[in-house]
Amino acid sequence: MSPARPRSLSVAALAVAALLAAAAPAVQAAPTAEAALAAAPDIPLANVKAHLTQLQSIATANSGNRAHGRAGYKASVDYVKAKLDAAGYTTALQQFTSGGATGYNLIADWPGGDPNKVLMAGSHLDSVTSGAGINDNGSGSAAVLETALAVSRAQLAPDKHLRFAWWGAEELGLVGSKYYVNNLATAERSKLAGYLNFDMIGSPNPGYFVYDDDPVIEQTFKDYYAGLSIPTEIETEGDGRSDHAPFKNAGVPVGGLFSGADYTKTSAQAQKWGGTAGQAFDRCYHSSCDTTANINDTALDRNSDAIAHAVWTLSAGTTTPPTGTVFSNTADVAVPDNGAAVTSPVSVTGRTGNAPSALKVAVDIKHTYRGDLVVDLLAPDGTAYRLKNSSGSDSADNVIATYTVNASSETANGTWKLQVRDVAAQDTGYIDSWGLTF
Ligand code: DTR
Ligand code: CA
Ligand code: ZN
Ligand code: ZN
């Protein structure tokens, strides 16, 4: 093949270099807001139930309850806080006194987002003294916790700032949530774009109730269930009955979900939702039988996924997503002459959903007689996309180009690879750098 000879950078090379330089380090750039515009991930029911098992163990180890002022409540707070700290949240315990006992609200902020537009989601973590409080309200607490962990797994970067809360002493009269709202400076209160409340979302004879408060939040939940062809009803008697009340009274847009307490399911409701007519939605409401056996998995799963849907949807801004994020690798990889293929990996994280149908792949390979080279893009699942075939007549040097690939059937997150093989003797080179734009 032609002897190697020095070449000045072509215009294309400068363009690729600029693109990769914009990507700065070889590791991926920070995720950007368009991730928030993507669909929420499924919330694994098994993870939510694992939290309920932990809360049950805590109650069993602490006189059978997780009530305000008792050891079981503080142990519940410590469990949830540890999970959030490990996931990168900024957590804080807000102390208050009620009935002569110290209570705790757990507040967890997800770094980033507009500090002047705060979306909150919360649930009360305390039980009554008579039982473990797994449906009331381990169900809401576990689902909100797993949604917060899903935000961390996705490295979500929504326009709004996300804040999650677990309230103390709800059973004593919304004491913890009232304390939080009453001690929020007016300026801070005005930054709250909305508060989503989840209190009893896994009732054993479940109904699917949506709070009838803020219309946008209400519609977000209704749309979610409509997408599953599950009818919902308006939660009419809940206004003063849970932790959304202090926020609503302070003028904050509120909403939430509820699967029913001690009211009786009607025949009409049993017709549309299944379950048992003439029986309470939760026969163990405020009773010692409110254990991990007192949960309907389908309702817990559906409501957990609905929570994630609402958090993803309501935290997204209306701005168009900024230009893509470039995930690149600038480490040199030598290409053996007429030998085995080599690869250069790029780890894509923080995206949700699939890769784009016009995925840009910027490639910079220094190699004399580029006709020797076959170049492929390997998706995280190993699927190969041919970028360049070999050519005995292409004696020019270097492969510096940007290819467009329809990768819409591939999951975005994962390790993508550029694969290069030299299929003709003589002439050698190396992968200089490459990058993907999402
Ligand atoms: N007060 C809640 C249970 C409860 C009863 N009705 C509603 C309506 C909406 C949300 C919650 C509730 C408790 O015992 O924790
Ligand atoms: Ca799920
Ligand atoms: Zn209760
Ligand atoms: Zn409750």
Side-chain angles (χ1 to χ4, degrees), residues 2 37 57 86 88 102 122 155-156 189 233 240 248 257 260 265 288 300 358 396 413 416 422 430:
S2 64
L37 301 179
S57 300
T102 301
Q155 286 294 292
L156 193 65
R189 195 182 300 178
E233 287 186 9
K248 184 174 183 178
L257 297 172
K265 181 181 279 186
S288 59
L300 183 62
N413 284 340
W416 295 72
D422 178 344
Y430 61 96

Side-chain angles (χ1 to χ4, degrees), residues 200-248:
M200 300 181 72
I201 62 168
S203 303
N205 186 25
Y208 292 89
F209 298 98
V210 176
Y211 292 12
D212 64 338
D213 292 295
D214 178 76
V216 172
I217 298 174
E218 178 183 342
Q219 198 57 47
T220 300
F221 286 121
K222 282 180 169 177
D223 289 347
Y224 181 78
Y225 276 105
L228 298 175
S229 303
I230 294 169
T232 55
E233 287 186 9
I234 289 303
E235 168 42 56
T236 52
E237 53 88 30
D239 270 4
R241 299 280 309 259
S242 192
D243 295 303
H244 57 301
F247 290 88
K248 184 174 183 178

Side-chain angles (χ1 to χ4, degrees), residues 40 44 56 63 69 72 85 106 131 145 153 158 171 188 210 237 276 287 298 333 335 347 371 379:
Q56 178 67 64
S63 311
D85 288 339
L106 171 59
L145 170 59
R153 287 193 293 266
E171 301 289 5
E188 291 306 306
V210 176
E237 53 88 30
T276 308
S287 306
T298 303
V333 179
V335 180
S347 172

Side-chain angles (χ1 to χ4, degrees), residues 124 136-137 170-171 174 197 199-200 211 235 237-239 241-242 244 257-258 261-262 285-286:
H124 75 86
D136 182 20
N137 182 38
E170 185 272 350
E171 301 289 5
L174 319 182
N197 191 64
D199 183 355
M200 300 181 72
Y211 292 12
E235 168 42 56
E237 53 88 30
D239 270 4
R241 299 280 309 259
S242 192
H244 57 301
L257 297 172
F258 179 54
D262 48 351
Y285 176 58
H286 286 187

Side-chain angles (χ1 to χ4, degrees), residues 202-405:
S203 303
N205 186 25
Y208 292 89
F209 298 98
V210 176
Y211 292 12
D212 64 338
D213 292 295
D214 178 76
V216 172
I217 298 174
E218 178 183 342
Q219 198 57 47
T220 300
F221 286 121
K222 282 180 169 177
D223 289 347
Y224 181 78
Y225 276 105
L228 298 175
S229 303
I230 294 169
T232 55
E233 287 186 9
I234 289 303
E235 168 42 56
T236 52
E237 53 88 30
D239 270 4
R241 299 280 309 259
S242 192
D243 295 303
H244 57 301
F247 290 88
K248 184 174 183 178
N249 296 338
V252 177
V254 302
L257 297 172
F258 179 54
S259 55
D262 48 351
Y263 284 32
T264 300
K265 181 181 279 186
T266 66
S267 302
Q269 290 171 329
Q271 279 294 322
K272 62 178 150 182
W273 290 327
T276 308
Q279 192 179 96
F281 294 101
D282 180 355
R283 286 187 294 179
C284 291
Y285 176 58
H286 286 187
S287 306
S288 59
C289 58
D290 188 3
T291 66
T292 45
N294 188 48
I295 289 289
N296 177 284
D297 285 359
T298 303
L300 183 62
D301 189 19
R302 285 171 173 170
N303 284 325
S304 299
D305 293 337
I307 293 170
H309 170 77
V311 167
W312 256 251
T313 303
L314 295 170
S315 65
T318 52
T319 55
T320 50
T323 53
T325 299
V326 179
F327 296 82
S328 61
N329 187 336
T330 56
D332 292 356
V333 179
V335 180
D337 185 27
N338 194 21
V342 291
T343 59
S344 170
V346 159
S347 172
V348 174
T349 58
R351 324 315 301 173
T352 51
N354 284 3
S357 57
L359 175 62
K360 298 296 182 196
V361 189
V363 171
D364 186 343
I365 304 169
K366 301 294 192 304
H367 195 290
T368 54
Y369 211 102
R370 66 186 175 204
D372 288 6
L373 300 181
V374 175
V375 184
D376 292 300
L377 173 68
L378 304 185
D381 68 358
T383 306
Y385 293 83
R386 178 57 48 89
L387 303 180
K388 175 192 175 295
N389 289 309
S390 61
S391 161
S393 62
D394 186 355
S395 61
D397 297 339
N398 306 331
V399 180
I400 297 174
T402 298
Y403 301 95
T404 301
V405 173

Side-chain angles (χ1 to χ4, degrees), residues 73-74 76-85 89-96 103-109 120-123 125 144-145 163-168 176 180:
Y73 178 71
K74 184 60 168 58
S76 301
V77 170
D78 293 344
Y79 169 77
V80 176
K81 184 178 187 297
K83 290 286 185 185
L84 294 162
D85 288 339
Y89 279 83
T90 304
T91 60
L93 286 186
Q94 182 184 43
Q95 284 193 13
F96 59 87
Y104 303 89
N105 291 327
L106 171 59
I107 310 298
D109 283 276
M120 285 191 75
S123 59
L125 185 56
V144 171
L145 170 59
R163 180 174 299 151
F164 297 90
W166 289 262
W167 307 116
Y180 176 81

